[in-house]
Amino acid sequence: MVRNVMDMNAHYGGLNAAFLEERKSVWVMNVVPVRAHNTLPLILDRGFLGALHDWCEPFPTYPRTYDLLHANGLLSHLTSERCGLMELFIEMDRILRPEGWVVLSDKLGVIELARAHATQIRWDARVIDLQNGSDERLLLLWQRMNYRWHHNVRYAPEFRQCACKILVRSKSDHANDENSHGCALARAVHMPRS
């Protein structure tokens, strides 16, 4: 189901390492934003692929290249930049394959804004509360092509569980307490459709 993955805010390559640890055969492009701390040498030293990129500009790739996009904390970083979230969502729509997935992890306010943008470009969105005492939320987006989320209901619970598990493992790269992001307690928050 997922072959090509992009980690849009790779930090130290934790998502890539989590896929390897789970023995998932995927190709991961680790992207470090140019205005963030440059961890690209560390990513390359781990043997992973990576690139520096300014997310206010288009990413140099063919359209419809990636099955899954992941961004941890990127939206908060971009709200202080010169570009807006809608430009980022249009770029993600360009590089994501039809019926591809986006997993965003950020603060509640930014996630709510991102959910509103996602529904404007006709993506299905689900907010997941990690219930770890923080205001961090997980936003799962599905780029539907004239379909509704319930048409792929057999994939949604399995994907939600897998995304949550991989998120926990990727965060262990830069967090001391892996259990503080316990996905066993994750639950979908009911969000009205627009």
Side-chain angles (χ1 to χ4, degrees):
M1 183 173 139
V2 174
R3 293 168 297 173
N4 296 335
V5 176
M6 177 187 285
D7 193 353
M8 300 172 70
N9 193 13
H11 297 289
Y12 299 103
L15 180 71
N16 199 339
F19 274 120
L20 287 176
E21 191 173 312
E22 288 293 315
R23 301 190 194 287
K24 301 293 183 191
S25 179
V26 296
W27 184 85
V28 180
M29 171 57 81
N30 297 286
V31 180
V32 177
V34 292
R35 289 180 183 82
H37 181 66
N38 185 5
T39 57
L40 187 60
L42 298 171
I43 291 171
L44 298 176
D45 283 346
R46 294 178 80 175
F48 302 151
L49 293 172
L52 284 172
H53 182 64
D54 181 358
W55 282 113
C56 293
E57 304 291 332
F59 190 79
T61 187
Y62 289 110
R64 310 292 178 225
T65 303
Y66 294 94
D67 301 304
L68 171 67
L69 303 177
H70 173 266
N72 181 14
L74 179 66
L75 302 180
S76 291
H77 176 72
L78 282 182
T79 55
S80 63
E81 297 293 326
R82 68 186 191 283
C83 54
L85 289 182
M86 185 51 88
E87 287 83 5
L88 178 68
F89 273 84
I90 291 170
E91 179 63 9
M92 288 192 304
D93 188 62
R94 181 185 73 83
I95 63 178
L96 193 64
R97 286 190 177 146
E99 299 188 359
W101 296 86
V102 179
V103 180
L104 302 173
S105 175
D106 221 307
K107 295 180 180 156
L108 178 61
V110 181
I111 288 293
E112 286 297 319
L113 183 62
R115 187 189 66 80
H117 286 316
T119 55
Q120 286 178 1
I121 58 174
R122 308 192 81 154
W123 287 2
D124 281 338
R126 295 290 184 266
V127 176
I128 296 177
D129 182 6
L130 297 176
Q131 293 186 342
N132 58 3
S134 73
D135 67 341
E136 188 173 316
R137 299 293 186 272
L138 197 68
L139 179 63
L140 293 180
L141 303 171
W142 180 58
Q143 183 195 45
R144 59 186 163 100
M145 302 300 286
N146 299 322
Y147 299 108
R148 301 294 293 181
W149 181 282
H150 63 273
H151 286 163
N152 280 334
V153 74
R154 66 181 185 272
Y155 298 122
E158 177 185 327
F159 183 80
R160 233 185 343 251
Q161 184 181 24
C162 179
C164 211
K165 189 175 184 182
I166 288 172
L167 175 72
V168 168
R169 294 192 186 228
S170 70
K171 287 195 175 206
S172 68
D173 235 18
H174 50 83
N176 292 332
D177 185 13
E178 185 175 304
N179 295 327
S180 68
H181 301 283
C183 284
L185 300 175
R187 64 178 175 81
V189 176
H190 174 69
M191 303 300 288
R193 286 194 184 273
S194 36

